[in-house]
Amino acid sequence: MELGRKDDAKVHKMFLDPTGSHLLIALSSTEVLYVNRNGQKVRPLARWKGQLVESVGWNKALGTESSTGPILVGTAQGQIFEAELSASEGGLFGPAPDLYFRPLYVLNEEGGPAPVCSLEAERGPEGRGFVIATTRQRLFQFIGRAAEGAEAQGFSGLFAAYTDHPPPFREFPSSLGYSELAFYTPKLRSAPRAFAWMMGDGVLYGSLDCGRPDSLLSEERVWEYPEGVGPGASPPLAIVLTQFHFLLLLADRVEAVCTLTGQVVLRDHFLEKFGPLKHMVKDSSTGHLWAHTERAVFRYQVQREARDVWRTYLDMNRFDLAKEYCRERPDCLDTVLAREADFCFRQHRYLESARCYALTQSYFEEIALKFLEAHQEEALAEFLQRKLASLKPAERTQATLLTAWLTELYLSRLGALQGDPEALNLYRETRERFRAFLSSPRHKEWLFASRASIHELLASHGDTEHMVYFAVIMQDYERVVAYHCQHEAYEEALAVLARHRDPQLFYKFSPILIRHIPRQLVDAWIELGSRLDARQLIPALVNYSQGGEAQQVSQAIRYMEFCVNVLGETDQAIHNYLLSLYARGQPASLLAYLEQAGASPHRVHYDLKYALRLCAEHGHHHACVHVYKVLELYEEAVDLALQVDVDLAKQCADLPEEDEELRKKLWLKIARHVVQEEEDVQTAMACLASCPLLKIEDVLPFFPDFVTIDHFKEAICSSLKAYNHHIQELQREMEEATASAQRIRRDLQELRGRYGTVEPQDKCATCDFPLLNRPFYLFLCGHMFHADCLLQAVRPGLPAYKQARLEELQRKLGAALPPAKGSARAKEAEGGAATGGPSREQLKADLDELVAAECVYCGELMIRSIDRPFIDPQRYEEEHLSWL
């Protein structure tokens, strides 16, 4: 690019904005030229004339390709100006690129104004802005908050705050005659994180904290120049700052110094043929470093700058940063963790050390022994607990050992603290940690697998409190209930059972609980309802009720009644047990239960034979009589009832209603008992009146010989009257039978003379053919049938056995010889009849009786066929298709 200058002016310095859009060229003749990347020519800045520009503070927030926004300009006379440039190009009378150029502040050192060597302007959070300016020996900070809507006003408000008093600054005695400030910014347009100021005493390096109200600089330290570098030797010409290094440009080489240690990590010498080095800058967008001589330009590319930083941080004992920079390298991370753990152990920070050791791959035994030798059981427990959390599911053996060891440590610690009033708070804290360990979801799988050994440890230490706590966590309620039962805390045991509603636990512990809290246990059973199998609880009830006390039996009866009446249990064992309880404890309820169960032997749910034996053993005769009645053993029921109550026996005697002979026999038993045992004639007569089957003559043999007839005179008279009435009834029936016989004889005489007339034109009622063509039948109703037609009509309506009989008669009739007078065949027929075989006439008579007993259209055969379908079901489909 030609500058178009004909005088002796030379380029003093050049300033390029971070976007690469605006270039300022400061000439030694105190002129400044402006070049835009999209422009066509170099344009002088008239307002800047007369100022030797030493530094420029670009506006990274408001700068664009067409405008720089408000920027700061530092001169060799110590003045700081505010300016703004525009890239618009007009004609001859168009606007100048420098929109304005106004002074803001003057920097002074002890001798007066000093050149502004560096300028950096940044915008912080919450609208705060700051400017750092350097001279040869001083570093100034301008900090302030921009007013709302004041972006167009630039930096005037920021510098106006320091009109009456100077800004804070850092000063160093030595001087290079110049200085340079470098920022490290991770990304373009982001806030800088660190700074490096190259001055006479070395490099001032530190962090930038925009949130601090008084100063931006923090963690400051001065790194002295390496040997052979400095004001009196080979002065540095420029400085560039990266994430972990600053690079110093010398006349013949570049030296890279680590910002963490101050050690030189790189010396890059240049050949003399390129000439002396002039300057070095950093591209903020790509991160590349550029250095140039009078004859060449060189580029440095930074690659994996942080690869070994973790070692530096490790040597500085800054373990958090070391872990951050080796997070993707497991081997390096393990080294850092091991060093951090050792460091914490030496500093007696045992808990932190245990946490770090748990993340390393160090030998488990060595670490455990270190804590044991130091008597740090708490740290050892922390180490074991974290190791346990890192185990894989397949490492079951290691998990079992760790859980057992941790439990032992906690129990030993609790045992040592228990009983010490001064260590009460520590004891509670340790107990809470132990319970947190036992209830931790992360350790639940391992604790469940090792629950047997943990219970043994708890038992060996006598820690029943945590034994119950652990059993509840593991849902081992059986152990919890057993513990409460052993310590006679039966209500607590029942509360656990009722809360978790496990039927198997109820079956197991009911025999124990029912002996101590029977009413509460039965209430719990009733609350569970059908979830419990009553048959499984019968053994507990049997053992409990063997004492025979009223309360014991009543609780058993209460639950059995609930099962029968509410749950509707039909199991025979339950009903049998309820019967036994009634028989022993509540005889009044026994008969009511039996009567409620019913009198059908197929519908009762108890064992009848067992009930009979049970009632007999306990002498409950009424109940025995009822069971006899259900068994339909009426004679035994009457016999036993006679020993109790005659009225009960009378009720039993009336039960066999369909068997009059048995009823009479039972009533005779009652009568005999009344006469012979009770010798009560009046009651015997009452029995005679109650049963119509008994007669006076049936009862008389039971009376003794000395009884006079006066006692049963009325009965004898009543019996004689009944006999007389019966004889009269028989005489009347005989007279009616005689009259009926005479009428039948008259009807028979009339029937012998009856006849029917058949005309030649009469036809068969079935086939509609002339009747006289074939043998026929004539009925009194007037219907006439051919013999074969009648046979076909009658056959389907006959029962199977009559159809077989009909076929047999037809076969015999066909085989019989026709009669012929005077012939040998007639003689053979007569001989057959004489020998006992049926004759042809007899066969025909039997056939007529079977076929022609009644008219097929007017008799019962037609009535019975009323539900027969008109079409045979087997031929229905064929008939149906014939109509289509």
Side-chain angles (χ1 to χ4, degrees), residues 137-425:
Q137 293 176 283
R138 291 182 177 180
L139 183 146
F140 297 87
Q141 300 181 60
F142 298 88
I143 305 173
R145 185 181 300 275
E148 295 183 1
E151 293 180 352
Q153 300 177 5
F155 297 94
S156 58
L158 181 65
F159 284 90
Y162 298 95
T163 304
D164 299 331
H165 60 86
F169 62 88
R170 294 291 306 275
E171 184 177 12
F172 292 89
S174 300
S175 174
L176 295 171
Y178 54 87
S179 69
E180 185 172 348
L181 181 66
F183 279 2
Y184 167 67
T185 304
K187 297 179 181 179
L188 184 65
R189 297 185 184 277
S190 64
R193 293 185 180 177
F195 75 96
W197 180 37
M198 183 185 70
M199 41 79 181
D201 290 275
V203 176
L204 177 64
Y205 174 79
S207 300
L208 293 173
D209 187 358
C210 301
R212 298 179 62 183
D214 53 347
S215 176
L216 299 171
L217 312 182
S218 63
E219 301 179 6
E220 303 172 52
R221 57 182 177 273
V222 177
W223 294 116
E224 296 182 356
Y225 291 119
E227 185 179 355
V229 180
S234 177
L237 304 177
I239 185 171
V240 171
L241 182 61
T242 63
Q243 186 177 4
F244 297 106
H245 303 84
F246 59 83
L247 284 77
L248 297 174
L249 181 74
L250 306 176
D252 60 345
R253 66 187 184 274
V254 173
E255 292 193 3
V257 180
C258 178
T259 58
L260 302 177
T261 61
Q263 301 295 323
V264 177
V265 297
L266 172 69
R267 282 190 174 91
D268 191 12
H269 292 269
F270 286 75
L271 299 177
E272 294 182 359
K273 65 178 181 179
F274 298 117
L277 290 166
K278 294 296 183 181
H279 198 55
M280 189 175 190
V281 294
K282 179 183 178 182
D283 188 342
S284 57
S285 62
T286 63
H288 293 163
L289 310 179
W290 298 87
H292 70 91
T293 67
E294 292 181 347
R295 303 185 183 91
V297 176
F298 302 91
R299 184 183 70 180
Y300 287 91
Q301 185 172 356
V302 181
Q303 293 182 347
R304 298 178 60 203
E305 182 183 5
R307 64 184 181 277
D308 291 327
V309 172
W310 68 273
R311 295 183 184 276
T312 305
Y313 282 127
L314 184 62
D315 295 336
M316 297 168 62
N317 292 332
R318 301 183 65 178
F319 302 108
D320 292 339
L321 292 173
K323 288 184 285 187
E324 181 180 352
Y325 287 102
C326 64
R327 195 171 302 278
E328 304 298 329
R329 301 164 66 181
D331 53 338
C332 302
L333 182 60
D334 187 72
T335 303
V336 175
L337 290 170
R339 285 276 295 275
E340 182 181 8
D342 293 337
F343 177 79
C344 294
F345 192 90
R346 291 193 299 271
Q347 297 291 323
H348 304 293
R349 292 152 49 192
Y350 296 108
L351 284 177
E352 298 179 27
S353 175
R355 297 186 187 103
C356 295
Y357 274 131
L359 298 175
T360 66
Q361 302 297 323
S362 303
Y363 289 112
F364 175 84
E365 297 82 357
E366 294 180 359
I367 299 171
L369 287 174
K370 287 182 68 173
F371 288 117
L372 287 174
E373 292 172 357
H375 304 288
Q376 295 297 321
E377 288 80 6
E378 185 177 0
L380 177 60
E382 180 71 18
F383 170 69
L384 296 178
Q385 196 161 340
R386 290 183 177 267
K387 274 294 185 182
L388 179 63
S390 64
L391 290 179
K392 299 178 181 178
E395 298 174 323
R396 295 184 177 275
T397 304
Q398 295 89 327
T400 302
L401 293 173
L402 289 178
T403 51
W405 196 354
L406 275 168
T407 305
E408 178 65 29
L409 288 175
Y410 277 119
L411 291 174
S412 299
R413 179 73 170 165
L414 290 172
L417 296 175
Q418 192 174 16
D420 187 356
E422 297 180 357
L424 181 59
N425 293 331

Side-chain angles (χ1 to χ4, degrees), residues 556-628:
I557 290 176
R558 185 161 72 96
Y559 181 66
M560 288 292 104
E561 286 180 341
F562 169 77
C563 294
V564 172
N565 300 329
V566 179
L567 299 182
E569 287 284 353
T570 59
D571 189 84
Q572 190 179 78
I574 295 175
H575 286 264
N576 288 345
Y577 183 58
L578 181 58
L579 270 176
S580 67
L581 293 173
Y582 280 146
R584 284 188 296 163
Q586 295 183 7
S589 302
L590 176 61
L591 185 59
Y593 166 77
L594 294 174
E595 292 176 349
Q596 183 183 1
S600 174
H602 305 292
R603 299 182 62 181
V604 296
H605 301 300
Y606 56 86
D607 187 349
L608 291 168
K609 296 180 180 179
Y610 173 76
L612 183 61
R613 183 174 68 253
L614 191 68
C615 296
E617 289 177 357
H618 292 82
H620 303 310
H621 298 301
H622 282 82
C624 286
V625 171
H626 180 83
V627 177
Y628 276 132

